[in-house]
Amino acid sequence: MSEPKPPTPTPGDTYKGWLFKWTNYIKGYQRRWFVLSNGLLSYYRTQAEMGHTCRGTINLATANIAVEDSCNFVISNGGAQTYHLKASSEVERQRWITALELAKAKAVRMQAESDDSGDDCPAVPPTPGQGGGCRNSEIQSTLRTLNNKVEDLTTCNDLIVKHGSALQRSLSELEAIRVGGDMGEKIRQVTERATLFRITSNAMINACRDFLSLAQNHSKRWQKALQTERDQRIRLEETLEQLAKQHNHLERAFRGATVLPPSFSNPALASKGGVSGKGDASDEDDDNEFFDAMEDPAEFITVPADPKYHRRSGSNISGISSETGMDDQSFDELSLASNPESPQPLELEPVRQRRTRIPDKPNYYLNLWSIMKNCIGKELSKIPMPVNFNEPLSMLQRLSEDLEYYELLDKAAKCQSSLEQMCYVAAFTVSSYSTTVHRTGKPFNPLLGETFELDRLSECGYRSLCEQVSHHPPAAAHHAVSEKGWTLRQEITLASKFRGKYLSIMPLGSIQCLFDKSNNHYSWKKVTTTVHNIIVGKLWIDQSGEIDVVNHRTGDRCHLKFAPYSYFSRDVPRKVTGVVTDKDGKAHYVLSGTWDEKMEFSRVMQSSKGENGTEGKQRTVYQTLKAKEIWKKNPLPEGAENMYYFSSLALTLNEPEEGVAPTDSRRRPDQRLMEDGRWDEANAEKQRLEEKQRTSRREREREAVKAASSPEEADAQETGTEASEVSDESKYLLTVKV
């Protein structure tokens, strides 16, 4: 769904990536693959064409590079060739401009002069991955010198072996002969061979010394040059990205810039030359690949704060309270340093080794359409599903997975500031969706009265208990308590609809989090989960909607927005943004990131109102300090793609344990059979349990009716109950966290 982030351009590198190239007024911009190498910019329709068909090339040594607006730029070599190009974002455009300018400067320099050292070298184009012809020549010369030294060492080694053996033989012969006429001759031979051995050894020692000195000198020189290049690249990347973002934010905030179709957003296009002035003949027959579209305006904009805020300490700044005016430090430094209760060393206890693998998922084929074609528009609790669409976990275990990043609540419990604590709670809220991105299997619907206990007191300091408290409609209750001073509880029921191409799941109920030390009480609800490509294509999951995390004691609030995926959006997929405000509505922190990767926070130093957006809404501009990471997703275990994409915690949830309740989800036979790969037996056992539960439910309803009504009314209500009896298959939860 997203393009990989291109590498940062560095001098001498080959730079590649997708850009939109203007073809003509009928087809507009078309997506092309551009390659910048050896001072030449070439483009192809696809990456596959690189080996045989180049659609056009322009020499940067004589080209002029001009920027039109936030995403557009033009490359021309004096009229013969002109490329009107468009990047996907302003940051991406700036990366290309930087790479093009570096390549142009390199090409001009290589044609006009030698390298900085003044040595003569041929004016050849730079080789990809190296710093130009002169630098390449110098490296090749050094390598040849080192190779010659190695050959000298090899020759000396052979001579030492040869002369050493001859000297040994002469000494042996000298010991064996008797005193006589041959004595003088033998002594002379020994003396000659000893002299040759000494000379060869000295040569070996000198060659080793030269080789070592040469290698050390060049090693230091290359390491220093490499480190310098790395430092410059990092500084350049940070500076360019910061400038590009700041320019874009300021332009949108104070000039009311919006994303419009080309005829509105760029009036200059209407006044440009004919088709031949912009397009190439090779592009006229292409299919349409790109369309401009309206984007939803952002509710707020963030820009870097004035540097003066970075130099000030914890005193009040322009009315900002001390808890938000501190210098730019991490949350851990702020919270833990101010916490008078430092953790005491605990006596170490042996920790149970949890399993890290489960049996691989079998590859069984099942025609989904044959099951779903008669279910369009129905409530999904009325659709029976085989275990082929499940994963070997129950809904109660999936609820317990919310605690995978319990450390966020542990850190929140140590915070002295309620606003800082709100940031951790908001990050915990987002983290609960991180396991859903690849988890397209639905969990088992718990039976009425089914429980799941997750005891991690000795390992993580918390204990969790879930129970299925209602059968129709399905509802579950979850309660977790931590030794670190927090309590989490939630009651969840679901509403869902299958619409043929996608499935929407709307969670009902709220989540409460309480902290013992501060008595802060937080509550929030969950967003809508949508599963796409139900019938055709690869399943993928999206989270969309808004969450308000409210502190009922202080009135603080965090408004989180989960942006739905859009093909035409320039934002990163799965984006989440949020603002933490106090009871008066004053913003103190800004949160940003993605629900499947990480979240960052920035402290707000100043806010102002920008001009109206596309819908007439006035957007707020926040000046913030540098963003800090507050949460990052843990990597999946090795081989997770064969284990239902389970996380490390999920792999342990269905692990058999001693002493759990008879109603615990780990004891479900159908779920255990599915985990072991025995799906046919699991399907039969699942149907048996469901039928048993239906029978039990009907019996309870009959008894309740008889106890509360007259015999005539009881018969009428029983008839209505039996007529409305439906399958008790759970809601089709193809996601994790609802």
Side-chain angles (χ1 to χ4, degrees), residues 40 200 205 209 257 271 315 396 419 514 535-536 541 564 589 732:
L40 302 176
T200 306
I205 294 172
R209 184 184 299 110
S271 61
S315 58
L396 302 180
L419 294 168
L514 298 90
I535 303 301
V536 180
I541 295 172
Y589 292 99
Y732 188 63

Side-chain angles (χ1 to χ4, degrees), residues 296-302 545-546 548 559-562 571 575 577-579 608-611 615 617-622:
D296 292 335
E299 295 183 356
F300 61 89
I301 301 172
T302 60
E546 299 181 0
D548 282 315
H559 181 75
L560 294 170
K561 182 177 181 180
F562 288 65
D571 287 332
K575 183 178 181 181
T577 56
V579 180
S608 59
K609 294 294 183 180
E611 295 188 9
E615 299 179 357
K617 297 180 180 179
Q618 194 173 34
R619 293 176 293 180
T620 305
V621 180
Y622 295 121

